[in-house]
Amino acid sequence: MQAFTFATSQSIICESGAASRLAKICQQQGAQSVMLITDPGIEQLGLHRNALDSFNKSNIAVQVFSDVQADPPESIVFDAITIAKESNVDAIIGFGGGSSMDVAKIVALLAHPECKQQLADIYGVNNARGERLPLIQVPTTAGTGSEVTPVAIVTTGETTKMGAVTPLFLPDFAILDAELTMGLPPHVTAATGVDAMVHAIEAYTSKIKKNPMSDLMAKEGLRLMAGSIQTAVHHGADKKAREAMLLGAMLAGQAFANSPVAAVHALAYPLGGHFHIPHGLSNALVLSHVMRFNLAAAADLYAELAPIIFPHETFSGSDIEIATKLIENIEVLIKDLGLPTTLKEMNIEASYLPQLAQDAMLQTRLLVNNPRDVTFEDALAIYQAAY
Ligand SMILES: NC(=O)c1ccc[n+]([C@@H]2O[C@H](COP(=O)([O-])OP(=O)(O)OC[C@H]3O[C@@H](n4cnc5c(N)ncnc54)[C@H](O)[C@@H]3O)[C@@H](O)[C@H]2O)c1
Ligand SMILES: [Fe+2]
């Protein structure tokens, strides 16, 4: 068997309503002064109310940093670090989608009293040193899986993002409280849910680090999410569907944290960078076209996933035939979820495609994981097919 490593968050609590126990969990970590990091949308909805109530009943001080923006820019990260240091907080809670959780990871590391590093020092793989503050992650979207990934992503320029990867970003606790996701609007549920499904699909076909544990997580994550995404989008108050999506997204996160994503994400990132298309929707727009391109190298693996994603469909024939039918079904699913399906619908000019292809080629960290090598011409052809 090929050697592999599998790492994940230290403790995972999967329990509806668990956010109301946050103060107790922080107490276990010996915390006295906590910073909860979130975004204005979540603050306005009051999703963190039960969590804050739990602190009011305890002797732990809590302050809320609610300035996180989607695809967080460096300036927001700096602001949060400064406030955390000034207030001598001794534990960090990330409360929100991937954006809030990613900021929380970096603050937990760089606001540690012993930390001598700056944000710029930790970009890349395994460049972070030392210790971090206790870190608790509470996802409110069923998407990024950031609560179990060693990655934080920051927007560094007009159109560029940088990632920092370190096992220090795996939190002490990941808390999956599906009640927090009940009010997620349909379009956000759809986009973040497709993102999570892409994490599982790309982890399953990842070229270098694919391993038996990631495969297990990817398959179970896909089974759960494929079976509930329609209900979660169209009947958002269905608690069972919300629970399945949140757990499925976390499993997909565990899968790709240890068997990384590839060309779908590499081609999705430039769409987010240039046109501020939400991450999950960017993935949805290129997914089927990258899968068709990958057929020559991954048809057998796609064929294995087909009956898991669409258990009520009859699949027969060669791997290529089964995989092709899977891709067609995925296209129908994305449409049924109410997501746009072409780059044209996103008002992207066709003349922009070569620039996007050029940018996608810079995502070498992701492209090396793709089952089939991608050239500039290939990337351009995929964007053209997605147009
Ligand atoms: N660390 C990782 O492993 C990883 C992986 C993939 C993506 N990312 C990053 O994560 C970010 C995207 O995260 P995301 O897709 O979760 O979205 P997000 O955190 O950017 O949030 C999107 C919007 O959803 C709203 N929202 C969140 N939860 C809600 C709820 N329960 N009810 C109503 N509204 C709610 C927020 O207020 C916000 O307006 C990007 O910055 C991306 O680069 C990180
Ligand atoms: Fe993603």
Side-chain angles (χ1 to χ4, degrees):
M1 188 196 292
Q2 201 184 323
F4 72 95
T5 308
F6 190 90
T8 195
S9 304
Q10 215 161 76
S11 293
I12 294 160
I13 299 177
C14 185
E15 174 191 331
S16 280
S20 60
R21 294 200 284 116
L22 262 173
K24 262 213 173 93
I25 292 161
C26 288
Q27 219 154 22
Q28 282 173 21
Q29 300 289 305
Q32 292 180 330
S33 173
V34 175
M35 181 187 250
L36 184 144
I37 295 178
T38 191
D39 71 37
I42 290 169
E43 175 158 69
Q44 205 168 8
L45 289 169
L47 280 180
H48 58 338
R49 204 175 299 127
N50 286 347
L52 292 185
D53 281 350
S54 79
F55 284 101
N56 294 337
K57 290 178 204 144
S58 77
N59 52 6
I60 301 175
V62 62
Q63 65 171 304
V64 178
F65 178 88
S66 60
D67 291 342
V68 174
Q69 294 167 17
D71 305 308
E74 285 185 318
S75 58
I76 298 288
V77 181
F78 293 138
D79 288 351
I81 295 170
T82 304
I83 297 171
K85 276 183 163 169
E86 280 170 4
S87 326
N88 289 317
V89 302
D90 56 12
I92 304 291
I93 299 171
F95 195 101
S99 301
S100 297
M101 289 192 283
D102 283 6
V103 173
K105 289 175 182 182
I106 300 172
V107 175
L109 186 74
L110 299 185
H112 190 281
E114 306 286 312
C115 178
K116 296 191 175 55
Q117 288 185 300
Q118 306 289 325
L119 181 53
D121 302 332
I122 66 165
Y123 289 133
V125 181
N126 287 334
N127 291 324
R129 300 278 171 270
E131 286 179 71
R132 62 154 168 75
L133 297 172
L135 175 64
I136 297 158
Q137 297 283 33
V138 188
T140 63
T141 60
T144 65
S146 179
E147 68 277 15
V148 288
T149 70
V151 187
I153 295 165
V154 179
T155 303
T156 47
E158 267 296 297
T159 60
T160 48
K161 282 185 167 193
M162 296 276 276
V165 185
T166 165
L168 288 163
F169 284 160
L170 291 169
D172 301 291
F173 282 92
I175 299 183
L176 306 184
D177 177 354
E179 271 172 25
L180 301 172
T181 66
M182 300 292 285
L184 207 57
H187 64 284
V188 185
T189 306
T192 50
V194 171
D195 179 32
M197 291 179 71
V198 174
H199 294 157
I201 294 170
E202 293 214 281
Y204 198 73
T205 56
S206 199
K207 191 171 168 181
I208 305 166
K209 292 190 175 168
K210 176 177 165 68
N211 67 79
M213 286 186 72
S214 280
D215 285 354
L216 269 177
M217 309 296 170
K219 285 193 284 193
E220 180 60 5
L222 278 172
R223 190 187 69 77
L224 285 166
M225 292 187 284
S228 54
I229 191 165
Q230 294 267 19
T231 311
V233 168
H234 299 296
H235 308 280
D238 187 306
K239 198 162 155 192
K240 269 201 176 129
R242 293 295 193 180
E243 286 174 342
M245 287 304 295
L246 192 57
L247 177 57
M250 189 220 52
L251 291 168
Q254 290 179 316
F256 91 91
N258 296 281
S259 176
V261 291
V264 181
H265 273 73
L267 271 76
Y269 275 131
L271 294 172
H274 286 277
F275 302 105
H276 298 288
I277 298 173
H279 175 72
L281 176 53
S282 306
N283 276 307
L285 287 164
V286 294
L287 173 62
S288 64
H289 307 287
V290 173
M291 287 180 79
R292 264 196 199 94
F293 170 78
N294 281 345
L295 272 179
D300 53 340
L301 296 176
Y302 289 151
E304 286 171 19
L305 294 180
I308 297 171
I309 303 178
F310 296 104
H312 304 300
E313 187 72 65
T314 312
F315 290 100
S316 61
S318 66
D319 285 347
I320 291 275
E321 285 166 326
I322 295 172
T324 303
K325 193 167 178 186
L326 166 71
I327 296 167
E328 287 163 3
N329 275 272
I330 286 177
E331 285 177 326
V332 173
L333 172 67
I334 289 173
K335 210 169 175 184
D336 286 349
L337 295 175
L339 291 173
T341 54
T342 63
L343 299 182
K344 204 176 197 169
E345 278 172 80
M346 304 308 299
N347 296 321
I348 296 172
E349 304 216 355
S351 58
Y352 223 97
L353 301 187
Q355 173 71 54
L356 292 175
Q358 233 165 45
D359 282 12
M361 293 314 291
L362 299 177
Q363 301 285 338
T364 47
R365 176 177 75 90
L366 304 176
L367 289 173
V368 290
N369 304 311
N370 202 56
R372 185 176 168 193
D373 289 345
V374 182
T375 63
F376 168 81
E377 288 73 23
D378 296 329
L380 183 57
I382 294 169
Y383 281 127
Q384 280 162 345
Y387 194 70

